[in-house]
Amino acid sequence: MKNYDIKKRKTLAENIKLFEIEAPLIAKNAKPGNFVILRIDDHGERIPVTITDSDVENGTITIVVQEVGKTTKKLGMLNEGDKILDVVGPLGRETEIKNYGTVVCIGGGVGIALIYPEIKAFKKAGNYVISIVGSRTKDLMIFEEEISKMSDEFYITTDDGTKGRKGFVSDVLKELIDDGKKIDIVMAVGPIIMMKVVADVTRPYGIKTIVSLNPIMIDGTGMCGGCRVQVGGNTMFACVDGPDFDAHQVDFDNLIARNKRFLEEEKVSLEGLKNG
Amino acid sequence: MADGKKKIPKLSYPMPQQDPKERIKNFDEVALGYDMEVAIKEAERCLQCKREEGKEICIDGCPVEIDIPAFIKCIREERMEDALNIIREKNNLPAICGRVCPQEQQCQKYCRLGKGKGRDPVSIGRLERFVVDYSVKKQSVDPLKKKDKKVAIIGSGPAGLTAAGDLAKLGYNVTIFEALHDTGGVLRYGIPEFRLPKSIVDREVEYIKKLGVNIETNVVVGKTIGMDELIDEYDAVFVGSGAGSPMFMNIPGENLNGIYSANEFLTRINLMKAYKFPEYDTPIKVGKVTAVIGGGNVAMDASRCALRAGAERSMIIYRRTEEEMPARKEEVEHAKEEGVEFHILTNPVRYIGDEKGNVKQIECIKMELGEPDESGRRRPVPIKGSEFLMDVDTVVVAIGNTPNPLIPDNTKGLKISKKGTIVVDDNGKTSIDKVYAGGDITTGAATVISAMGAGKKAARAIDKFLSS
Ligand SMILES: Cc1cc2nc3c(=O)[nH]c(=O)nc-3n(C[C@H](O)[C@H](O)[C@H](O)COP(=O)(O)OP(=O)(O)OC[C@H]3O[C@@H](n4cnc5c(N)ncnc54)[C@H](O)[C@@H]3O)c2cc1C
Ligand SMILES: Cc1cc2nc3c(=O)[nH]c(=O)nc-3n(C[C@H](O)[C@H](O)[C@H](O)COP(=O)(O)OP(=O)(O)OC[C@H]3O[C@@H](n4cnc5c(N)ncnc54)[C@H](O)[C@@H]3O)c2cc1C
Ligand code: SF4
Ligand code: SF4
Ligand code: FES
């Protein structure tokens, strides 16, 4: 039960890698919106990553990770056949999947891969799915084929215009709304600032908007309160009350500040890794 | 004492300690333990009382009913292995209890010797610790006769470990499921190294494993495996999932950077070894001035950790007076020796941050004691207009923990109290057949030894249930 072997590893874009990890119990119970917490080695930090797919038969889960700091870079150095010391999950509440009518799914950066399970599930539940995905530049675009296959409408944006439209995912969303498209729900996963802008776009129209928040976590079971976020004036623990929340109620500025609380230490860690 | 006339020293023999000035620079154990000579002297103070109707002795104060006079007698006779066996018969984790039990409220409070004027009770906890530390190398386990019944235990804190150990000794096939990557519950992530070295927790867990208990870490019951699956697959289930959900005061600014729950602060330091950052990857940040809100053991631990993690000043902010503090006296004394400042009759009302969202000040209000509340302690009342500001870099909120709702929320038919604890009868049985519970999940935050007592009781009840 305790062998979290890496069965497959694939580079999707610069600094973005996909892993299939052996974890039969997690695979069996994983639902869209769930995540795992993993620890690479005995000295390692516990970090949360979304389950983007699971294969019950083979007993594996798929994760897609962007290298941003020491732990994600160490993960990126692992190969097929290597083991991860600890993987626990599936954690968090699952995304509420049902037939809403028309759903807009928005993914930014590595968030494109993370919203893929929701796109699949919304489609399966009978929704009309509009997917909007955005990255900084063409080379960072991931999961294009998978998502386009599952979507009734599919839009790509890049910040520099090297692929799809030049601009942001929120621009496309705004246009759809302005064109009078009837949208029942919007779900957005990506950089906090992107989720904040999406919330600002839909707020005046009262379109229900769900975001998947990514605060710093430790245990992932509601024990430490490190992952707390402010939602509608209340303090919530994202690992057990979320990670999905009503975007119009989230205090994004607090989340942005809280995710920077260990910036200096993260730099020290990364330097340590570079210098061996 | 052989001649029965030798005078008994009034005071107990002190235990050597690390110098406070030195110890705040390290995470090594503060109390160093008796050696053989002193242990025998202390053991000789014992009156070897008999247990009889209407007369309470030490054993009556011990939640797991260790035969205290018997093991003390063995120490006098230097029969250490026998002493250990007597302790182990009742207590699966003695090295831990000897260190963190509130002995002065339990066994030692009932000690006949201590009833005399000016006389200390026998230092039972220190002797217990000595026996176990001394016998470390000689831990042998007799092969056990196996039964064909399986029991699942949720949580590897003191309640779960005790229930598992007792059931294994009775021959059951026992599996513990633990959510974290390591065992021990609060013993691992909460109580700091300098009070309870993790090597000791390891040792006690090894002993439980030697009894044949299988431990599966990284399994969150209710998530990784459903409660219903466990109920189907096992002949009985014991829930010892603790009271691990941190409370906050819900005052303005509480989500600023630099404000931790005690659980986060202590978990980073103990479980993740952030005090060894960057050798270990998990960071902790304390700055120059740390304020800890609360007056329990948890608050004392946090304030002392802050000093060791590099804070220049560490303060306790508590709304009542020292007399009402729920922390053990010894812990308050240790904190004071190390230079922790105490601000009593003081309560935070809001936190003020800088432009980056880091906490920089606490607005506090002075309190006075009014009428007694339900708990019998006098209720603290704010004094109007007494607000004042305190500069801080770090705040640790240590005002208590409530039961984690994961299991209650994910188990159909489980009866839960208003406080969120699992309701059990005198034998630890819940509203679901086959399911028992004990420890902090049934009582709310309490003590190691009471959690162990509950684990024992439930093990006995489970055995009865499975034998009938
Ligand atoms: C529920 C959840 C699901 C997530 N799923 C994924 C995923 O599927 N793929 C993926 O690549 N990332 C995911 N993340 C983010 C991921 O956990 C962080 O990128 C990771 O913890 C960074 O660790 P590090 O040591 O490499 O970097 P660090 O050096 O610790 O951090 C580098 C920078 O990353 C940011 N950061 C740190 N921790 C987090 C965090 N928890 N969330 C967001 N940003 C953070 C900060 O800005 C920080 O400055 C998820 C986060 C959460 C909470
Ligand atoms: C900082 C601190 C200092 C303390 N100091 C003292 C002291 O000096 N003396 C004293 O007597 N007491 C002390 N206590 C209290 C004492 O530690 C607790 O009362 C005791 O640990 C409770 O034991 P337990 O087994 O019920 O729960 P816990 O020790 O809380 O263990 C519960 C375990 O269950 C696991 N778990 C929870 N949910 C799940 C799930 N769904 N699936 C799988 N596993 C799960 C948790 O991860 C944890 O490991 C202290 C507490 C703290 C926090
Ligand atoms: S377990 Fe605790 S109460 Fe019992 S004898 Fe030991 S120290 Fe005393
Ligand atoms: S009550 Fe005190 S003196 Fe009497 S047997 Fe117990 S420890 Fe010894
Ligand atoms: S990560 Fe600890 S409470 Fe959410």
Side-chain angles (χ1 to χ4, degrees):
Chain A
M1 197 192 260
K2 281 299 122 60
N3 276 338
Y4 308 108
D5 287 8
I6 298 176
K7 291 290 183 193
K8 187 175 150 193
R9 169 193 193 264
K10 199 169 132 192
T11 302
L12 301 183
E14 203 199 340
N15 291 335
I16 302 183
K17 297 198 172 84
L18 175 148
F19 298 90
E20 272 177 36
I21 301 166
E22 185 170 13
L25 280 181
I26 304 176
K28 195 172 129 206
N29 290 312
K31 301 267 169 22
N34 286 152
F35 61 95
V36 292
I37 286 196
L38 57 84
R39 193 171 72 123
I40 294 173
D41 55 44
D42 185 47
H43 285 38
E45 199 168 0
R46 294 169 63 101
I47 66 157
V49 284
T50 304
I51 304 169
T52 48
D53 211 345
S54 54
D55 182 335
V56 183
E57 223 158 89
N58 287 324
T60 57
I61 56 166
T62 303
I63 58 170
V64 175
V65 179
Q66 179 175 29
E67 293 168 17
V68 293
K70 180 169 181 184
T71 309
T72 47
K73 281 202 195 308
K74 273 204 307 200
L75 186 62
M77 290 176 208
L78 297 181
N79 288 307
E80 278 169 26
D82 287 343
K83 288 180 199 311
I84 295 175
L85 184 61
D86 297 299
V87 182
V88 61
L91 301 170
R93 284 180 198 271
E94 56 190 273
T95 304
E96 223 186 305
I97 303 285
K98 59 180 185 192
N99 193 341
Y100 293 93
T102 300
V103 181
V104 176
C105 292
I106 301 177
V110 72
I112 302 173
L114 312 193
I115 200 165
Y116 174 62
E118 271 92 1
I119 292 176
K120 263 204 319 197
F122 280 130
K123 185 68 206 159
K124 211 172 141 207
N127 291 283
Y128 183 85
V129 178
I130 303 173
S131 300
I132 311 171
V133 299
S135 63
R136 271 206 329 274
T137 180
K138 157 170 144 265
D139 294 339
L140 293 176
M141 181 51 62
I142 56 172
F143 268 62
E144 200 184 318
E145 212 170 296
E146 290 90 335
I147 292 179
S148 92
K149 254 198 283 185
M150 288 288 158
S151 310
D152 296 289
E153 290 177 38
F154 180 56
Y155 302 91
I156 295 184
T157 68
T158 46
D159 297 5
D160 61 2
T162 46
K163 180 158 197 131
R165 303 189 23 165
K166 182 172 160 61
F168 300 116
V169 284
S170 48
D171 303 339
V172 177
L173 175 65
K174 184 96 183 35
E175 274 175 30
L176 289 174
I177 297 173
D178 289 345
D179 287 351
K181 190 120 209 159
K182 193 186 147 286
I183 298 169
D184 297 293
I185 187 169
V186 172
M187 167 123 203
V189 183
I192 302 173
I193 188 69
M194 180 205 94
M195 296 191 280
K196 182 180 173 183
V197 172
V198 167
D200 289 342
V201 169
T202 56
R203 188 176 287 111
Y205 304 94
I207 302 172
K208 183 169 170 179
T209 304
I210 306 293
V211 287
S212 178
L213 300 184
N214 55 353
I216 295 172
M217 294 186 175
I218 307 177
D219 59 299
T221 65
M223 181 270 276
C224 74
C227 65
R228 60 198 196 274
V229 288
Q230 270 169 229
V231 183
N234 297 314
T235 293
M236 306 282 224
F237 292 0
C239 67
V240 284
D241 301 323
D244 290 356
F245 290 100
D246 176 351
H248 298 151
Q249 304 287 323
V250 171
D251 182 341
F252 287 102
D253 295 336
N254 181 249
L255 178 58
I256 291 171
R258 283 186 66 76
N259 267 12
K260 287 193 184 141
R261 63 200 166 113
F262 293 112
L263 266 189
E264 290 154 40
E265 289 77 8
E266 286 157 1
K267 262 188 220 137
V268 172
S269 270
L270 200 53
E271 283 307 308
L273 184 69
K274 279 186 193 145
N275 304 331
Chain B
M1 267 277 290
D3 56 3
K5 282 181 206 131
K6 206 154 73 184
K7 211 159 167 237
I8 298 175
K10 282 196 163 175
L11 301 181
S12 72
Y13 289 87
M15 181 153 61
Q17 287 183 0
Q18 260 202 81
D19 183 330
K21 280 201 212 66
E22 279 308 308
R23 74 188 191 223
I24 60 168
K25 295 181 207 148
N26 64 53
F27 270 84
D28 299 341
E29 194 168 14
V30 166
L32 299 172
Y34 282 161
D35 59 20
M36 184 64 125
E37 191 188 337
V38 180
I40 291 175
K41 280 195 199 151
E42 181 67 23
E44 281 178 346
R45 293 181 62 235
C46 172
L47 305 170
Q48 290 292 303
C49 312
K50 295 271 171 317
R51 224 176 166 187
E52 41 194 271
E53 271 301 308
K55 183 175 125 188
E56 286 183 321
I57 67 166
C58 50
I59 305 178
D60 297 290
C62 173
V64 296
E65 299 187 19
I66 293 178
D67 191 343
I68 296 164
F71 95 74
I72 291 182
K73 184 156 181 276
C74 293
I75 298 179
R76 288 185 193 176
E77 295 164 3
E78 293 191 46
R79 292 188 289 121
M80 290 305 167
E81 211 157 322
D82 294 342
L84 183 66
N85 287 336
I86 291 169
I87 295 171
R88 281 247 187 252
E89 200 181 302
K90 293 292 166 85
N91 185 341
N92 289 330
L93 317 166
I96 293 167
C97 296
R99 289 176 164 82
V100 301
C101 240
Q103 294 114 10
E104 60 284 355
Q105 314 269 344
Q106 299 181 345
C107 51
Q108 289 172 197
K109 188 170 159 191
Y110 288 78
C111 173
R112 310 292 308 173
L113 183 68
K115 302 279 177 208
K117 216 173 120 211
R119 278 193 319 204
D120 285 345
V122 177
S123 290
I124 302 167
R126 291 175 189 172
L127 289 175
E128 186 175 350
R129 167 180 169 170
F130 169 74
V131 169
V132 190
D133 287 358
Y134 182 83
S135 328
V136 130
K137 292 144 248 132
K138 307 178 193 116
Q139 246 180 34
S140 64
V141 177
D142 296 332
L144 299 159
K145 262 192 252 126
K146 278 283 175 200
K147 293 194 170 87
D148 59 357
K149 298 234 164 84
K150 302 198 295 179
V151 184
I153 308 270
I154 303 169
S156 64
L161 287 174
T162 302
D166 279 13
L167 287 163
K169 282 181 186 166
L170 292 165
Y172 293 98
N173 296 297
V174 182
T175 302
I176 299 183
F177 297 98
E178 168 56 51
L180 292 171
H181 61 256
D182 210 344
T183 49
V186 170
L187 307 176
R188 177 83 56 185
Y189 73 74
I191 304 180
E193 179 78 17
F194 55 83
R195 210 146 70 71
L196 178 62
K198 298 312 146 208
S199 56
I200 303 245
V201 181
D202 288 338
R203 210 164 80 202
E204 300 289 34
V205 172
E206 272 316 304
Y207 172 74
I208 300 289
K209 281 191 190 158
K210 271 193 202 154
L211 293 171
V213 173
N214 172 31
I215 303 185
E216 298 283 352
T217 50
N218 295 327
V219 177
V220 184
V221 175
K223 289 284 177 188
T224 317
I225 302 184
M227 249 319 241
D228 44 348
E229 287 175 75
L230 288 185
I231 295 172
D232 278 352
E233 264 177 51
Y234 288 81
D235 298 293
V237 178
F238 173 79
V239 186
S241 56
S245 187
M247 296 206 275
F248 288 94
M249 293 173 70
N250 296 316
I251 55 177
E254 213 168 14
N255 293 333
L256 286 165
N257 288 347
I259 305 183
Y260 303 84
S261 76
N263 279 4
E264 181 185 358
F265 192 72
L266 293 168
T267 298
R268 282 181 179 275
I269 292 177
N270 298 319
L271 179 69
M272 305 310 296
K273 303 205 165 60
Y275 64 93
K276 293 186 187 165
F277 178 88
E279 183 194 337
Y280 283 76
D281 292 345
T282 305
I284 185 91
K285 205 180 206 145
V286 293
K288 290 197 173 111
V289 184
T290 297
V292 179
I293 318 299
N297 283 325
V298 184
M300 298 308 136
D301 285 344
S303 68
R304 297 170 68 195
C305 277
L307 286 176
R308 286 163 175 79
E312 286 168 17
R313 285 177 61 202
S314 179
M315 319 183 260
I316 291 279
I317 297 181
Y318 182 57
R319 61 194 182 136
R320 294 181 157 104
T321 70
E322 205 176 306
E323 218 165 285
E324 287 87 15
M325 278 192 183
R328 290 183 63 191
K329 257 214 173 64
E330 188 179 309
E331 300 310 324
V332 175
E333 284 314 312
H334 279 154
K336 282 187 175 164
E337 284 168 16
E338 290 169 12
V340 174
E341 301 164 30
F342 283 66
H343 297 263
I344 51 157
L345 291 170
T346 305
N347 211 23
V349 286
R350 70 181 173 117
Y351 298 101
I352 300 158
D354 64 14
E355 64 292 342
K356 285 188 180 152
N358 298 321
V359 65
K360 65 169 192 201
Q361 281 180 318
I362 315 179
E363 184 177 310
C364 289
I365 192 161
K366 283 278 177 202
M367 311 291 277
E368 59 191 352
L369 292 183
E371 296 299 310
D373 62 12
E374 317 85 59
S375 74
R377 293 183 301 177
R378 291 174 64 198
R379 189 193 301 274
V381 202
I383 303 172
K384 265 211 187 88
S386 69
E387 290 88 349
F388 64 100
L389 293 174
M390 256 181 187
D391 290 344
V392 293
D393 301 301
T394 303
V395 175
V396 181
V397 182
I399 57 164
N401 290 308
T402 56
N404 189 311
L406 257 178
I407 298 220
D409 283 359
N410 286 296
T411 313
K412 276 180 234 99
L414 194 62
K415 200 169 161 209
I416 308 299
S417 76
K418 255 193 257 143
K419 285 185 179 153
T421 54
I422 297 179
V423 178
V424 288
D425 69 10
D426 284 348
N427 294 315
K429 193 179 155 314
T430 69
S431 56
I432 305 178
D433 254 4
K434 285 169 65 167
V435 179
Y436 294 74
D440 283 4
I441 186 70
T442 60
T443 55
T447 62
V448 173
I449 194 71
S450 61
M452 290 179 51
K456 268 197 124 46
K457 210 182 328 170
R460 224 179 287 149
I462 290 172
D463 178 42
K464 216 167 144 197
F465 166 69
L466 293 180
S467 316
S468 63

